Structure formats: C-alpha cells, structure tokens
C-alpha cells in the first residue's frame, strides 16, 4: 500500500511537470496512472479536470470534477479541496457561457470555503447575467408602445401611471434621451424633484443637443430653490436655441429669484467643499484675478478644459459671472 501511494505521488509530480510544459496529453497519462494507484485522492481528480479544461474539453472537466467532489465527500477530504473542485466546475460552465450553472457552482464552492477570488468571480457572473437579461429585454417597438401609454396617462393627469409606463419604456430602450425627459416631467408634477433632476441629467448625458433636457433641469432646479444652477441650465438651453420662449422665460425667473438674495446664494455656495477646493487653489486664484481685471483673459482660460470645468462650477454656484 505504501509503495502504491509513493508511486502515485511520483506519477502526480510527473503529471504536474508535463502540465507546466503544456504537454497535456502526457500530463493526463500520468494523472490517470496516479489515480489507478490512489483512487481516493481528490487532488488527482481535480488535476485531471484541469487538464481537460486547458484542452477545452469542458464537459469532460465538469464530469471529472463532479466525481472528485463525490470522492472527496466520501473520504472526508479537506473542504478547501472540495471547494476548489466546485469552482473548477463553475469556471468550465462559464467557458460554455452557461452563466446560471456557473453561478450555482461558484456559490456551492463558497459554502465549502469562502475564498475572496471566488466571491469576486461569483459577483462578476451575477453582473453578466444581469446585463445579459437587460440587453435581452431591449425592444424599441415595445418601448414606443409604453411611451405612448405614458403620454396618454400624462395628458389625463395620471402621473404615477405615466411614470410606470415611461419606466417600462426606458427598460425597453435605455438609450432614448426623450424618455428620461418625459419621466422627469412626471416626477416634477409629483414634486419628486431629486428623481426629476436625475432623469434630466441622464437625458442631457445621452443627448447634449436635446434642449428639453436643459429645460426640465432648469424647471426642477427652480422648484428646488436653486436659482443660480437653474440660470446655468437655462443658459445651456439658450445656447442651443437663443429664441426659445420657455428657456427665455425660465432664465428671467431664475435671475429674479437669484437677485432676491444673492449673498445667501454665495454663502451657501461657499460652504460647498468642491467650491472651497477650487477657490483655495493658488493657480485658480491667479486666473480669477486676471479675469476680474481683463475680460479677454476669460476666453483664453476657458480653452483649458480643466479650468473651464472649475469656472463652470463657480458660475453654477453664483461665485463668478461671465455675463
């Protein structure tokens, strides 16, 4: 018996050496010889499964590793070894693009031994399943149907129902900016302003040329008593269409609201950590000083995207004005 086990170890080492050299046929011969000598050793079976995996024989890998798990349980093998065999099955299913089976076996592996890299792999598979299902759900025709239902509900003043239809339309066609604009209008009617603002910003992200995104955002910010930010949103709309009546009206309302207490607006802005960081930057201090003395300097500095983003933030908060 001892001689058999010793020979099994020798065959295993020869198999490992062949495996490292990517001589998989030879590795398989040595692992099978080792199994004949020591059939209850779970590691020999999982090693054999690893060879099949490298050869792209995923069904064979799964079968051998399933046998390894059964042999391991029957012989009270270390739970870490059982977990390893289960995770190898999961990875083989992943290669076959059978995501649910892969996730199932990763979870089985984690019940035996919670290995951080396996936790990560299980999470990645979960995300792949979620994304696959999301993409499979996309259907522009059904999205249009739900959008029309939402429009009908909106006209009838049934705003919660309209939100449901627009939400379904978004799931069916998540890249359509107009759907977010429509839902933002519903949320505004329902006074769900943070949700309306989020949808407005997503609308703008998807289509920066779609004026309604900025109009929605401006209206929401006015409702949230953020007139300076609303002014900035309406200005973006006017950049797209200088004669847009809704943008002009919103811009005037925002300016009037802003002028009621400009100091309060500035004080609130100054408490913003991002604003504080910008104003404490020596380079920005110099730029702002130049801009206050020479308006032409502003145009030069705005050519720098990083500086332009910081100035835009200060404009949003009412700290500086280029008007």
């Amino acid at each position: 018996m001892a001689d058999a086990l010793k020979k099994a170890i020798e065959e295993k080492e020869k198999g490992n050496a062949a495996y490292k050299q990517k001589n998989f046929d030879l590795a398989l011969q040595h692992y099978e010889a080792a199994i004949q000598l020591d059939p209850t050793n779970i590691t020999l079976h999982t090693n054999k499964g690893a060879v099949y995996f490298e050869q792209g024989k995923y069904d064979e890998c799964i079968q051998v590793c399933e046998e390894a798990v059964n042999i391991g349980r029957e012989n009270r093998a270390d739970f870490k070894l059982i977990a390893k065999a289960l995770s190898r099955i999961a990875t083989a299913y992943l290669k076959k693009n059978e995501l649910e089976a892969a996730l199932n076996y990763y979870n089985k592996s984690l019940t035996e031994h919670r290995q951080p890299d396996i936790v990560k792999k299980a999470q990645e598979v979960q995300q792949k399943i979620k994304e696959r299902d999301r993409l499979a759900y996309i259907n522009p025709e059904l999205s249009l149907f739900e959008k029309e239902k939402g429009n009908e509900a909106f006209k009838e003043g049934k705003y919660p129902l309209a939100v449901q239809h627009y939400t379904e339309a978004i799931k069916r066609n998540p890249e359509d900016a107009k759907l977010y604009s429509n839902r933002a209008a519903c949320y505004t009617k329902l006074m769900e302003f943070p949700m309306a603002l989020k949808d407005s910003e997503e609308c703008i992200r998807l289509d920066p040329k779609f004026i309604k995104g900025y109009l929605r955002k401006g209206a929401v910010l006015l409702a949230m008593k953020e007139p300076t930010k609303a002014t900035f949103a309406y200005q973006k709309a006017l950049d797209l269409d200088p004669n847009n009546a809704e943008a002009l009206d919103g811009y005037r309302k925002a300016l009037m609201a802003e002028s009621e207490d400009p100091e309060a607006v500035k004080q609130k802005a100054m408490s913003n950590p991002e604003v504080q960081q910008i104003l404490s930057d020596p380079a920005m201090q110099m730029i702002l000083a130049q801009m206050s003395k020479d308006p032409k300097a502003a145009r030069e500095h705005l050519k720098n995207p990083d500086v332009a983003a910081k100035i835009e933030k200060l404009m949003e908060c009412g700290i500086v004005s280029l008007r």
Side-chain angles (χ1 to χ4, degrees):
M1 184 68 177
D3 287 343
L5 293 177
K6 184 178 178 181
K7 286 180 181 178
I9 292 170
E10 290 173 359
E11 290 292 341
K12 177 190 171 186
E13 289 174 352
K14 289 177 182 177
N16 291 348
Y19 182 87
K20 288 177 183 177
Q21 293 172 1
K22 298 189 181 298
N23 189 342
F24 299 124
D25 288 335
L26 181 60
L28 198 58
Q29 290 176 25
H30 286 299
Y31 289 141
E32 287 177 341
I35 289 169
Q36 292 297 318
L37 294 163
D38 187 9
T40 63
N41 188 331
I42 183 175
T43 300
L44 299 175
H45 293 274
T46 52
N47 285 7
K48 182 180 175 182
V51 173
Y52 282 134
F53 183 87
E54 292 296 334
Q55 290 179 322
K57 297 177 180 178
Y58 303 121
D59 289 331
E60 288 88 339
C61 172
I62 290 166
Q63 183 181 346
V64 167
C65 288
E66 288 276 20
E67 291 170 2
V69 170
N70 292 333
I71 288 167
R73 293 196 194 286
E74 289 170 5
N75 294 277
R76 298 184 180 180
D78 190 316
F79 56 85
K80 292 180 182 178
L81 297 176
I82 294 173
K84 185 176 181 180
L86 289 166
S87 68
R88 186 154 287 157
I89 294 169
T91 306
Y93 273 121
L94 187 58
K95 282 289 187 179
K96 285 162 60 71
N97 202 35
E98 296 183 22
L99 301 181
E100 281 81 5
L103 181 60
N104 180 38
Y105 275 93
Y106 278 135
N107 287 333
K108 284 183 177 183
S109 176
L110 290 171
T111 60
E112 298 291 335
H113 178 55
R114 196 165 183 81
Q115 193 79 350
D117 63 319
I118 301 302
V119 172
K120 185 179 178 182
K121 286 179 180 178
Q123 291 171 344
E124 288 171 352
V125 173
Q126 267 184 321
Q127 191 58 38
K128 283 185 177 182
I129 292 172
K130 186 177 178 181
E131 181 62 10
R132 180 203 64 193
D133 292 347
R134 184 188 74 82
L135 292 173
Y137 201 71
I138 291 174
N139 186 318
E141 289 183 8
L142 288 177
S143 176
L144 181 60
F145 174 79
E146 290 293 339
K147 177 186 177 182
E148 289 170 352
K149 288 286 187 183
N151 291 346
E152 290 172 14
F154 187 88
K155 287 175 185 176
E156 294 171 4
K158 299 176 181 178
Y159 304 121
L161 179 61
V163 166
Q164 289 179 27
H165 285 298
Y166 288 139
T167 298
E168 182 64 19
I170 286 169
K171 288 179 182 177
R172 292 291 188 179
N173 193 5
E175 301 301 313
D176 187 343
K178 293 178 182 178
L179 296 174
Y180 294 92
S181 171
N182 290 5
R183 193 170 68 175
C186 288
Y187 281 135
T188 302
K189 291 287 187 181
L190 293 167
M191 300 182 72
E192 294 281 356
F193 300 128
M195 300 293 287
L197 181 60
K198 183 179 177 183
D199 271 357
S200 300
E201 289 176 340
E202 182 63 12
C203 172
I204 291 167
R205 186 190 71 80
L206 289 169
D207 187 356
K209 301 291 185 182
F210 184 51
I211 194 169
K212 275 196 175 181
Y214 299 102
L215 296 175
R216 301 285 189 223
K217 185 175 181 180
V220 172
L221 289 169
L222 268 180
M224 295 175 75
K225 301 190 185 304
E226 296 277 5
T228 303
K229 292 181 179 180
T231 302
F232 195 79
Y234 283 122
Q235 181 60 63
K236 290 281 191 181
L238 289 169
D239 289 343
L240 293 172
D241 181 2
N243 299 314
N244 185 280
E246 188 177 345
L248 287 166
D249 184 55
Y251 187 76
R252 291 190 193 101
K253 287 179 180 177
L255 280 179
M256 288 175 64
E258 186 181 15
S259 64
E260 288 176 4
D261 192 359
E263 284 305 312
V265 172
K266 285 189 177 182
Q267 286 178 12
K268 183 178 179 182
M270 292 292 286
S271 65
N272 185 320
E274 188 178 353
V275 171
Q276 291 174 4
Q277 186 177 10
I278 293 171
L279 294 176
S280 64
D281 182 350
M284 283 301 297
Q285 290 174 6
M286 183 180 71
I287 289 169
L288 293 171
Q290 287 177 354
M291 287 171 58
S292 66
K293 293 176 183 178
D294 180 10
K296 292 180 181 179
R299 288 195 291 272
E300 288 301 315
H301 289 304
L302 288 172
K303 291 178 182 178
N304 182 320
D306 184 49
V307 172
K310 291 177 180 178
I311 291 174
E312 189 172 297
K313 180 66 181 179
L314 296 179
M315 287 173 64
E316 280 186 15
C317 298
I319 302 295
V320 298
S321 174
L322 299 182
R323 294 191 295 272

